[in-house]
Amino acid sequence: MAFESLSERLGKALKNITGQGKLTESNMNDMLKEVRMSLLEADVNYNVVKEFIENVKQKALGQEVIDSVNPGQMVVKIVHDEIQELLGSADARLNLKKSGVSTLMMVGLQGTGKTTASAKIARFCKEKLKKRVLLVACDVVRPAAIEQLETLGKSIDVEVFSLGTQVSAVETARQAMGYAYDRQKDLVIFDTAGRLHVDEELMQELSQMKALVQPDDILLTVDAMTGQDIVTVAREFNEQLSITGLVVTKMDGDARGGGLLSVRSITNVPVLFVSNGEKVEDLEEFHPDRMADRILGMGDIVTLVEQAQEKLDMEVQQKTASRMAQGIFTFNDMLDQFGQMQKMGSMQNMLKMIPGLGKMVKQLDDEKMNDSMKKSQAIIQSMTPYERENPSCLKASRKNRIAKGAGVKVMEVNRLISQLEQMQMMTKMMSGGGGMPNLSALQNMQRGGGMQGASKHAGSKKQKKSKKKKKKK
């Protein structure tokens, strides 16, 4: 995941300084050396790193910090604040009109996820800002882009305007504006053409379109995986078009994150959104303070709560919470919770947002957990309604029938029953507020074998223990 190695290295460097009883220039320099190497290895621009280190050193060696009760923690705060300053001192927002038709141009190179990002922002503006959105397919160079945008538009129930590939992008934009006014739309999002690299033909077309639609925002999509190229591309587009913000895509990949840390201070263009998945709902507003928290391993509980409110079915959560308060937890409840967990997406991403649980991320394998969850769902769906609600009736003959229906072994049906029994025992320990699934319950499910393969290291640990027992014998 993005920033993973940077977070680990910064965490170690800062842990050393917080363990020091007294802050001196010597141990301060040792810490700053580690921080410098961490940032450079994360592909942060050299000049940005140099200025960052100087700022931290100047503030950390001030008399107020040295004389404080816990100087180490003060240094951590200084580093946090400087990272936030790199990312942006305040949240950036779309510059939409309060009344009338707002226009937004999406620009970027090919392969950065511009068309998908257009649909994601359309969904965001429709759902959260309550705008009547029109998507316009202006990428007439690539027919597949028009088809992709139309498919995405249908999935989010947003109208897509297109005149096909035979009409120029500028003419398409001109007619789309008239269409938007006639249909009383609030926001028009133009998905423009991309190139493999910035060229004169692309910029000329985009400049003509800009003059025509007079956009309130020009958002550039950049790929988090490209490192320092983010800065280069942003600078070139900004010089030609005066872009107002960035949309960083593929944040769920193994990007080192240096480009994201460099781009704001070099180009002065703020990041507005980050995309962390392929689904249309996988888009987050960018908050510099929250991202700084994540980079330093402090979690991001606010974003997690916001995602839960947006993605989870609160009626299902309240119903399950009410039943659990009465000591009831059946296979129907388990099936509901599996569905809720799938809506939330990656368990690893969720753990990263919870303070203190970031270290558990490496113990979980999202892919194996999802496979195991789907298998469990198939087993439950092979049961009759009576069996789901009354699991105590499951004897040998019923288990055999369920296993055949789900295409699994009876042993796996028994494992799921054991998992349910553990959940029933832990019902009183779990939250009654209808919130997120209890994480200790998830760990116990892993230990009990219900989430087989969810832990990357569980099997190897068990093997080591069994070998030790044999040696003792």
Side-chain angles (χ1 to χ4, degrees), residues 258-272:
L260 180 56
L261 280 169
S262 307
V263 70
R264 175 64 189 256
S265 57
I266 293 176
T267 66
N268 203 32
V269 176
V271 178
L272 267 67

Side-chain angles (χ1 to χ4, degrees), residues 126 264 317 404:
K126 177 193 169 191
R264 175 64 189 256
Q317 290 297 88
K404 287 178 182 178

Side-chain angles (χ1 to χ4, degrees), residues 24-38:
T24 65
E25 191 163 355
S26 175
N27 57 32
M28 195 58 214
N29 284 333
D30 290 341
M31 184 276 289
L32 288 174
K33 185 179 179 181
E34 278 295 312
V35 171
R36 182 188 292 110
M37 289 304 299
S38 303

Side-chain angles (χ1 to χ4, degrees), residues 21-23 60 62-75:
K22 188 178 180 182
L23 196 63
Q63 198 65 38
E64 184 183 337
V65 176
I66 293 172
D67 293 342
S68 66
V69 176
N70 195 323
Q73 289 184 359
M74 289 287 284
V75 172

Side-chain angles (χ1 to χ4, degrees), residues 335 373-383 402 405-406 408:
L335 196 61
M373 203 180 295
K374 286 175 184 176
K375 189 180 288 185
S376 298
Q377 286 172 312
I379 293 171
I380 297 172
Q381 287 161 350
S382 294
M383 298 177 187
I402 292 165
V408 299

